[in-house]
Amino acid sequence: MPTNRVSLVSEPAANRRRKPHVKSRGGCGNCKLRRVKCDESKPMCNKCTAYNVSCSYGIGLADLQLSAGGALNVVILPQCLNQVVPNVIAPSLRKQGEQSLQLFNKFYSRTVFTITTDKNLHLFQDELIKLAGLHPYLTHALLTLILMHDRHLLPTPMTRLSAAEAYHWQHAITLFNAKLSSGRIDASEGDAVWATAVLIGIVTLCHIEATTVEETWPVAAPSSLDLNWLRMSDGKKEIWNLAGLEKTGSVLQPGGLLGSTPQLPSQSSSQDFRSLPTELLHLLALNSICSSPTPTSNPYYAATSALAQCLRIDRGKPIIVCFLTFITNLQRVFKKLLELKDPRALLILAWLYAEVSQVEECWWTRRRAVLEGRAICRYLDGWAKEMGKGVEALVECPRKTLDAANC
């Protein structure tokens, strides 16, 4: 904590004495990974017993493997979270503890810069890693994200999950299920539970199994994974309340991953939409003179406000903040319109995806934005042709941006 750092600096060097201690040299791999003192009890040390994982003495044993007593079958996790679990899970993944420590170092020095702003950087470098050392479900969620970033940085990135990613994702979901199904979340666990939900949301946005437009929603045949990232927003709200954070707040606020989340306009104003084409406003009935549209009277209002904000601000992470605001603040009626593949709702999403596709540093949203954005434009072609040249131009505008983006 900051106060400790100040006291250490101000204390005279002569008064600083390191307390004598016996260093554990035969401790298990898990305790070394978590940087805690191991009592070296065998076959299970006390720290691993309390942590509910199998002790990893010796070389070749998996780190943070669920113990037999820790495998719970009761699952009451919101359905939207269950649907993001990969279809194929590697039965085992044998790694060395040192490799896992290297992954945490990668997060501290690399990955963290892609999920937060300079303002919150120290918070996520310090707090997130500290929480991960105490809560195994967060440990595995964080390792999943780091490994996905590794894959993204390959000279020729693979589109499918690696065995390591699948392993940690499965463990994150299993342990998180167990925590939520217990029905008890202590105040000290609230931040870790919320951070895990947020990381699972990021991983869900990042992972898309499709490789072509034909395999991608909304062009492809219906799948239970369609719009899973959208359903995650509802799941995270439930978890925020379940953890009791609506009263106490969190060190990791809902908009904290990328700075403060802007509020969408609540009242109609011509200034809100002036960055948008007149043809689009007319199509969405947002330029009415006789009756002023509002978020309650027009289902496209809130989403169009987020789009207008994206078009008014500079390129970069602020665009992603607006996109996350769009996801967080969507009304149920608009979500339903997306599920029904309403052309106007899809057109708004395509425009938003076009903006997101230009933010290269936000690797965890970009590939989905490009693939689903292109698929939406393909899906809307027939409808746009029937509507006339003005609407065809509205579909063509995001298509050009999306076609120019690499994924």
Side-chain angles (χ1 to χ4, degrees), residues 14-292:
N15 294 335
R16 293 198 297 267
R17 293 289 185 270
R18 190 170 183 177
K19 294 181 179 180
H21 67 282
V22 178
K23 188 171 184 180
S24 171
R25 299 189 181 279
C28 73
N30 289 337
C31 288
K32 291 178 181 178
L33 174 62
R34 297 173 59 209
R35 296 186 180 182
V36 297
K37 182 174 175 57
C38 182
D39 62 7
E40 302 184 26
S41 299
K42 295 184 179 180
M44 287 281 290
C45 75
N46 291 333
K47 289 289 173 62
C48 284
T49 300
Y51 206 52
N52 208 24
V53 293
S54 296
C55 241
S56 55
Y57 283 108
I59 298 175
L61 296 178
D63 296 328
L64 299 178
Q65 175 70 45
L66 272 174
S67 65
L72 298 181
N73 296 322
V74 179
V75 177
I76 60 168
L77 192 66
Q79 185 180 12
C80 56
L81 289 179
N82 282 324
Q83 287 177 322
V84 306
V85 182
N87 294 328
V88 179
I89 299 299
S92 64
L93 179 67
R94 304 208 175 270
K95 300 169 57 207
Q96 298 299 313
E98 185 62 29
Q99 291 177 319
S100 295
L101 289 174
Q102 289 174 2
L103 289 175
F104 283 117
N105 287 331
K106 287 182 179 180
F107 174 80
Y108 190 89
S109 61
R110 185 196 65 189
T111 304
V112 69
F113 292 91
T114 69
I115 63 171
T116 190
T117 58
D118 292 342
K119 178 181 178 181
N120 292 326
L121 181 61
H122 70 285
L123 179 68
F124 285 88
Q125 283 180 319
D126 297 337
E127 292 297 326
L128 207 54
I129 291 180
K130 181 170 70 175
L131 288 170
L134 298 172
H135 305 281
Y137 44 84
L138 179 55
T139 300
H140 287 290
L142 192 57
L143 288 172
T144 304
L145 179 68
I146 300 166
L147 288 164
M148 281 187 166
H149 195 196
D150 263 359
R151 173 163 54 91
H152 171 78
L153 294 174
L154 291 173
T156 305
M158 299 180 295
T159 57
R160 301 189 70 83
L161 288 174
S162 67
E165 291 168 58
Y167 171 87
H168 287 293
W169 197 351
Q170 185 262 344
H171 276 63
I173 294 292
T174 300
L175 292 167
F176 202 43
N177 264 337
K179 169 50 62 179
L180 296 183
S181 64
S182 70
R184 299 188 309 274
I185 299 178
D186 297 334
S188 61
E189 299 174 305
D191 285 330
V193 168
W194 170 249
T196 303
V198 171
L199 290 180
I200 290 175
I202 291 177
V203 168
T204 303
L205 270 171
C206 177
H207 179 61
I208 176 171
E209 294 184 352
T211 57
T212 66
V213 168
E214 291 74 19
E215 298 171 346
T216 307
W217 176 90
V219 173
S223 165
S224 61
L225 295 179
D226 291 344
L227 295 175
N228 57 352
W229 57 267
L230 188 59
R231 290 189 292 273
M232 278 295 303
S233 63
D234 288 335
K236 285 191 292 185
K237 288 177 183 176
E238 293 176 25
I239 291 169
W240 178 263
N241 295 329
L242 181 63
L245 297 176
E246 75 283 359
K247 297 179 180 178
T248 62
S250 171
V251 175
L252 311 172
Q253 292 295 333
L257 281 180
L258 290 162
S260 299
T261 303
Q263 295 297 314
L264 293 180
S266 58
Q267 300 296 328
S268 176
S269 169
S270 58
Q271 185 178 1
D272 294 339
F273 303 118
R274 63 183 180 178
S275 58
L276 298 173
T278 302
E279 184 71 29
L280 179 60
L281 296 177
H282 177 73
L283 181 68
L284 302 174
L286 290 171
N287 62 345
S288 175
I289 299 177
C290 299
S291 60
S292 298

